[in-house]
């Protein structure tokens, strides 16, 4: 699990968009990604929105392995959400850090309620090491918070953006294998303990 020196915050341009991610993953598997018509995947939007959303979806799919893409394209909804979470965390280390450092740490001590104060504390701590966060306007910072929680809701890591209760993950074994084949450290984004991760890698 690599650490990104500068946070990529462009996820504000597109929430999870799981159906579109799944559709595009199927196109990737058919090796037709280069010739894809963006408007066929993202319909009913302005040209600028289509470009923005397609760019973000492509960023998320590019680092996935073929096994991970296959699950995203053809797995059931739970498995698709789990791979979509992996894709998001690979590209946006701000979200990955929040999941691993806040949600996971709370889940490990059986505390399943996320508060606004915990997000604010996380954001302020990261701002010390990421000047790109310091430079944000209040409006943009609010958008980052909003979309972060929306993605967590859409991947079912939390129950809703309002109550913000952590959902423990019932892992799809195909997902576990597809993640472990690459790097078992990524299992942390599913809130698994170190002992649980170790038991799944032997």
């Amino acid at each position: 699990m690599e650490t990104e020196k500068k946070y990529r915050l462009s996820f504000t341009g597109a929430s999870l968009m799981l159906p579109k991610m799944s559709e595009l993953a199927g196109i990737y598997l058919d090796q037709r990604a280069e010739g894809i018509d963006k408007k066929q995947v993202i319909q009913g939007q302005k040209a600028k929105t289509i470009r923005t959303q397609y760019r973000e979806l492509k960023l998320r799919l590019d680092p996935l392995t073929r096994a991970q893409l296959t699950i995203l394209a053809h797995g059931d909804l739970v498995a698709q959400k789990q791979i979509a979470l992996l894709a998001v965390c690979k590209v946006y280390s701000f979200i990955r850090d929040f999941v691993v450092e806040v949600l996971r740490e709370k889940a490990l001590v059986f505390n399943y309620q996320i508060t606004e104060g915990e997000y604010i504390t996380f954001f302020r701590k990261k701002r010390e090491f990421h000047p790109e966060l310091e430079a944000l306007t209040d409006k943009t910072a609010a958008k980052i918070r909003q979309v972060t929680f929306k993605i967590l809701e859409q991947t079912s890591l939390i129950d809703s953006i309002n109550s913000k209760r952590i959902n423990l993950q019932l892992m799809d074994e195909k997902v576990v294998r597809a993640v472990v084949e690459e790097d078992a450290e990524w299992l942390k984004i599913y809130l698994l303990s170190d002992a649980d991760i170790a038991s799944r890698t032997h």
Side-chain angles (χ1 to χ4, degrees), residues 139-151:
K139 182 178 179 180
T140 301
K143 181 72 171 177
I144 288 168
R145 177 206 156 280
Q146 176 191 6
V147 179
T148 294
F149 280 110
K150 187 64 178 176
I151 288 174

Side-chain angles (χ1 to χ4, degrees), residues 64-196:
L64 295 182
T65 66
R66 187 167 185 84
Q68 293 160 5
L69 284 170
T70 299
I71 296 170
L72 184 56
H74 305 298
D76 63 23
L77 184 59
V78 171
Q80 286 182 340
K81 285 183 177 182
Q82 289 173 349
I83 293 297
L85 174 63
L86 175 66
V88 164
C89 287
K90 281 186 172 187
V91 176
Y92 312 113
S93 55
F94 176 84
I95 295 178
R96 179 198 66 203
D97 287 352
F98 185 60
V99 168
V100 173
E101 297 175 18
V102 180
L103 272 69
R104 180 175 183 260
E105 289 304 309
K106 288 178 70 73
L108 290 178
V109 294
F110 311 109
N111 182 344
Y112 303 117
Q113 184 63 57
I114 296 293
T115 67
E116 287 293 326
E118 286 165 334
Y119 176 84
I120 292 169
T121 297
F122 168 81
F123 188 89
R124 287 174 175 169
K125 182 175 73 171
K126 292 303 180 183
R127 200 164 55 187
E128 296 177 16
F129 305 100
H130 289 270
E132 65 272 20
L133 296 180
E134 192 71 53
L136 296 175
T137 64
D138 290 345
K139 182 178 179 180
T140 301
K143 181 72 171 177
I144 288 168
R145 177 206 156 280
Q146 176 191 6
V147 179
T148 294
F149 280 110
K150 187 64 178 176
I151 288 174
L152 296 181
E153 177 191 62
Q154 291 172 326
T155 56
S156 294
L157 267 186
I158 62 172
D159 62 347
S160 76
I161 57 175
N162 293 321
S163 59
K164 297 181 180 66
R165 281 195 62 82
I166 298 170
N167 290 324
L168 294 182
Q169 302 296 295
L170 182 61
M171 294 302 299
D172 184 297
E173 286 307 313
K174 290 181 181 177
V175 172
V176 173
R177 287 197 299 272
V179 172
V180 170
E181 283 173 0
E182 182 185 16
D183 184 352
E185 279 289 296
W186 283 111
L187 290 177
K188 289 181 178 180
I189 67 172
Y190 304 111
L191 317 182
L192 301 183
S193 67
D194 289 346
D196 199 1

